[in-house]
Amino acid sequence: MPDDGTGALPLVRGIVLSDEKSSTYKLALLRAVARIAEYAPAAATPAPDGRDAVEVPLGLVALYWLRMYLPLVRARLPQMPGNIGTSRLGFAKDGFEALLALGTAPIELRIGASFTGEQAAALTSALSQAAHTIANMPATFTRYPNSDAQVFGVTRQRRSHASATVLDLDMLRGWGLVEVPGHLWRAMSRFGSWIEPMLVAEWAGLTRAYAERMGLAIAPGAAEATLAWIEPARSTSLGRDVALRLLDRGQPIECVWSGRPLTAKTFDIDHCLPWSVWPCGDLWNLMPAHTRVNQHEKRDRLPSAAAMANARDRIIGWWDAAYLDDKALRSRFLREAAAALPLSDSANGAAVYDALDWRRLRLSPDQQVPLWTPAGV
């Protein structure tokens, strides 16, 4: 891929393909930051003093780190020379081992998830150990070409001993911050769909090389399969349950795109941002639509600016009735929106709509998703 003029892509290529590596740690750090840039950009805040950089929660980088390494360690795929299982991995101590023993699935490690008891204590310990390793190893030794200057700056914070119960951004900032150069952040946001496959391919190659040195054989494709980032299952069941509950109470609901009244037999739950380009089942992305509109008209297309503007009041009205007026769902709705969309601290339905429209606007040119406008709009 040609350089975008900022030097970010040659920097990424150099780290991935040319940099000396004694483990897969540098690739893990790059992949964690790249996924945050593409799928959780609202986690970033501008660096102070006007520097062209952003700061992301160190706890979030550590969370994605654990999510990537759990299946690799379970599969006993070496991540450095001489490593099998948890041996020689600096972060794989008591907390990580407890997550393994408890059968924690990687897909559970996501923003907004809740934990209690033994699992919450294990996760808190594992995050602390991962944050320590990230700060002292890959962040320290990932440097600009022919320079001792670090690409990523890390600021650590001393956390309380309280267990991680809800993985929101405030909690994940408790471990500190990772500073990402602005040009690198923007490249990862725009070109993540190309950067991540390169990272995975190189990571799988390193894993096979370490195994060969140890006289081990890895089946073709096994490393790549273990490195796959498992997305949540495509489900609209919660949105559907909420819609049916509202209808049972006699509360009318409308198709957000057409305004047509809906019944239990004529509605679908639509992903506003299509699953095919943004695999997200968060509550803010689930909206009621007439079956014909969802299945035969909008389908996997991105709503146009006109479609969004026409549906604005109905979208906000749906969020209010379905989620924001529900004590059990309100906090989850706001947590999920804050993780994926650029929101201020004082979020309400109108603010979430503006942030969703911003995200839609970014997806359109970055992924060239076909646009859809309802007839008559």
Side-chain angles (χ1 to χ4, degrees), residues 106-129:
I107 200 170
E108 296 179 67
L109 304 182
R110 55 180 177 79
I111 300 172
S114 300
F115 297 87
T116 57
E118 191 177 358
Q119 193 173 34
L123 178 59
T124 304
S125 175
L127 285 169
S128 296
Q129 291 154 359

Side-chain angles (χ1 to χ4, degrees), residues 291-327:
T291 300
R292 177 165 186 81
V293 172
N294 183 48
Q295 296 183 15
H296 301 284
E297 297 178 23
K298 180 175 179 284
R299 295 175 296 177
D300 284 337
R301 292 184 288 175
L302 193 67
S304 67
M308 288 293 291
N310 182 62
R312 182 183 188 278
D313 292 343
R314 290 189 291 271
I315 290 173
I316 295 173
W318 161 252
W319 286 337
D320 285 339
Y323 310 129
L324 293 173
D325 292 343
D326 187 312
K327 292 181 180 179

Side-chain angles (χ1 to χ4, degrees), residues 106-336:
I107 200 170
E108 296 179 67
L109 304 182
R110 55 180 177 79
I111 300 172
S114 300
F115 297 87
T116 57
E118 191 177 358
Q119 193 173 34
L123 178 59
T124 304
S125 175
L127 285 169
S128 296
Q129 291 154 359
H132 177 80
T133 295
I134 291 166
N136 287 282
M137 296 299 290
T140 297
F141 294 104
T142 301
R143 298 173 178 170
Y144 288 98
N146 306 312
S147 171
D148 290 331
Q150 294 178 210
V151 174
F152 302 104
V154 177
T155 304
R156 298 289 306 279
Q157 292 184 19
R158 183 180 295 277
R159 268 187 53 82
S160 69
H161 294 293
S163 295
T165 53
V166 178
L167 296 178
D168 59 24
L169 294 178
D170 285 340
M171 190 277 291
L172 293 168
R173 291 187 187 100
W175 278 275
L177 297 167
V178 177
E179 184 173 291
V180 184
H183 71 307
L184 182 58
W185 177 259
R186 289 186 291 272
M188 287 179 162
S189 298
R190 293 188 62 199
F191 303 121
S193 297
W194 290 274
I195 290 173
E196 182 162 17
M198 177 174 64
L199 287 164
V200 170
E202 183 66 11
W203 194 332
L206 269 182
T207 298
R208 284 191 291 269
Y210 296 148
E212 288 171 4
R213 290 190 212 175
M214 300 165 63
L216 303 174
I218 297 178
E224 289 83 355
T226 310
L227 284 162
W229 189 277
I230 305 300
E231 298 289 356
R234 179 171 181 167
S235 173
T236 59
S237 59
L238 181 53
R240 174 169 286 277
D241 289 345
V242 171
L244 289 173
R245 188 162 63 244
L246 293 176
L247 289 170
D248 287 343
R249 291 177 190 164
Q251 186 167 342
I253 59 174
E254 300 175 317
C255 171
V256 295
W257 306 119
S258 68
R260 293 170 65 178
L262 298 175
T263 69
K265 294 182 178 180
T266 62
F267 84 92
D268 283 345
I269 295 297
D270 175 42
H271 290 86
C272 177
L273 304 182
W275 181 273
S276 58
V277 296
W278 186 265
C280 174
D282 290 351
L283 297 182
W284 55 265
N285 201 34
L286 301 180
M287 302 176 185
H290 193 279
T291 300
R292 177 165 186 81
V293 172
N294 183 48
Q295 296 183 15
H296 301 284
E297 297 178 23
K298 180 175 179 284
R299 295 175 296 177
D300 284 337
R301 292 184 288 175
L302 193 67
S304 67
M308 288 293 291
N310 182 62
R312 182 183 188 278
D313 292 343
R314 290 189 291 271
I315 290 173
I316 295 173
W318 161 252
W319 286 337
D320 285 339
Y323 310 129
L324 293 173
D325 292 343
D326 187 312
K327 292 181 180 179
L329 294 177
R330 178 183 176 86
S331 60
R332 172 176 168 176
F333 174 85
L334 293 174
R335 275 201 315 272
E336 291 177 345

